[in-house]
Amino acid sequence: MKKKMSNRERTFLAIVIPVVVLFFMFNTLPMLKGIVYSFTNYKGYGSYEYVGLRNYIDLFTDARVGKSYLFTFKYAIAGTILVNVLSLLMALGLNSKIRFKSALRGIYFVPNILGGLVIGYIFSFIFTYILPVVGDVFGIGFLQNSILASEKYAWIGVLIVGVWQAVAMNTIIYISGLQTVPSDVYEASMLDGAGKWKEFWKVTFPLVMPFVTINLILSTKNFLMVFDQILSLTKGCRTDFADIQNKKECGGNRQWQNHYLRNWAANTKGKGII
């Protein structure tokens, strides 16, 4: 004789089954299809053919792939350090006794609401059109050309955008951690004559260390997965003349083209064509 399910078991199944189905449809199934497509020449539309391991062979024999991985790891390390330092400083400020604290907590979280592509396009406009005008007006040399058009410093612009967006969420976590620190601990440290700096290193930082660990993991994971910001800022272009010549690869990115066309004109004095 079958045992009749209790109300609790039915409720459990009613909650779990839809979640499992949705997870399979939007996570597991696309992942499995991606694995299948990796053995084809599928472009995202139209027909395709199976090519075996050719895609993987091309991937591991292309030197540019290794450079991309190296850049991603460097970007993740630099971004994680900057985000956590800035987030902790902001959390300390927003957790202190200041005026308009609630309003400021809402304002600083705005970057996290915006999508990566939106932020990328906004900063692309700022770096390409607004800052060069400011540089020309005030005679600031390093602002007169877009930082995104510099082969040497473009990564700094990308890092600024990534850090600016990531700080908000990490600050929320640090504020939560700071609010778990008992006030009597601070009172005891004050009675012992500890200054603010010593109070931070000996009391605050050790007690919020679990939150530091969480933020370090989340920051590293998010920076390693970055794509939309870099795509919207640079359209995947390399900073060389090949991208001016190959507009299909560069995607017609105006900021790269303008910068290098100006350099080309200056270096060749208008002779020859690209």
Side-chain angles (χ1 to χ4, degrees):
M1 185 176 179
K2 289 186 178 180
K3 184 181 177 181
K4 194 174 181 180
M5 284 194 301
S6 64
N7 290 334
R8 182 174 181 179
E9 290 173 333
R10 283 196 292 267
T11 303
F12 176 79
L13 291 176
I15 294 172
V16 171
I17 290 175
V19 173
V20 172
V21 171
L22 290 172
F23 183 84
F24 177 80
M25 289 175 59
F26 294 102
N27 185 284
T28 308
L29 185 60
M31 182 187 70
L32 294 175
K33 292 180 72 174
I35 294 173
V36 174
Y37 287 145
S38 70
F39 297 101
T40 71
N41 59 359
Y42 186 53
K43 298 180 180 179
Y45 60 90
S47 59
Y48 59 88
E49 298 175 355
Y50 284 92
V51 295
L53 296 173
R54 191 177 74 189
N55 292 328
Y56 291 97
I57 294 171
D58 292 342
L59 178 68
F60 290 107
T61 55
D62 192 338
R64 292 176 299 178
V65 175
K67 291 180 180 178
S68 297
Y69 276 114
L70 181 61
F71 170 79
T72 303
F73 283 119
K74 289 180 179 179
Y75 174 79
I77 292 170
T80 298
I81 294 171
L82 285 173
V83 163
N84 281 277
V85 170
L86 294 174
S87 297
L88 187 53
L89 291 174
M90 284 204 50
L92 289 169
L94 292 170
N95 197 53
S96 61
K97 297 178 181 179
I98 57 174
R99 297 182 66 183
F100 310 113
K101 183 166 61 175
S102 298
L104 290 173
R105 286 183 178 182
I107 293 171
Y108 88 90
F109 194 72
V110 171
N112 195 259
I113 299 173
L114 301 174
L117 284 174
V118 174
I119 289 176
Y121 288 129
I122 292 172
F123 273 89
S124 178
F125 184 83
I126 293 172
F127 287 140
T128 307
Y129 298 104
I130 296 179
L131 290 182
V133 171
V134 174
D136 289 336
V137 171
F138 294 98
I140 305 173
F142 68 90
L143 287 180
Q144 292 176 354
N145 288 318
S146 171
I147 192 173
L148 298 177
S150 169
E151 182 177 1
K152 189 175 181 181
Y153 299 112
W155 69 273
I156 297 177
V158 175
L159 185 63
I160 289 172
V161 177
V163 170
W164 182 80
Q165 184 179 23
V167 161
M169 181 56 71
N170 285 36
T171 304
I172 283 281
I173 296 174
Y174 279 130
I175 289 175
S176 301
L178 290 171
Q179 290 179 347
T180 62
V181 180
S183 58
D184 55 352
V185 176
Y186 289 119
E187 292 174 3
S189 66
M190 184 180 64
L191 292 173
D192 289 338
K196 289 296 181 182
W197 183 251
K198 195 170 183 179
E199 179 183 88
F200 172 76
W201 281 112
K202 299 294 184 180
V203 178
T204 305
F205 191 73
L207 291 175
V208 299
M209 197 62 200
F211 297 88
V212 175
T213 303
I214 293 170
N215 273 338
L216 286 174
I217 295 171
L218 291 177
S219 300
T220 305
K221 186 265 294 183
N222 291 333
F223 278 111
L224 287 174
M225 294 173 60
V226 68
F227 173 76
D228 46 0
Q229 294 169 357
I230 295 178
L231 180 66
S232 57
L233 284 168
T234 67
K235 291 190 178 179
C237 297
R238 303 191 313 274
T239 50
D240 54 29
F241 287 102
D243 277 342
I244 306 301
Q245 294 169 320
N246 189 352
K247 292 185 180 181
K248 289 184 179 179
E249 179 182 349
C250 189
N253 194 329
R254 184 181 300 274
Q255 63 199 22
W256 297 92
Q257 293 181 14
N258 287 347
H259 176 73
Y260 282 99
L261 285 172
R262 286 198 301 269
N263 285 353
W264 165 78
N267 292 333
T268 62
K269 296 182 179 179
K271 296 178 182 179
I273 59 172
I274 294 181

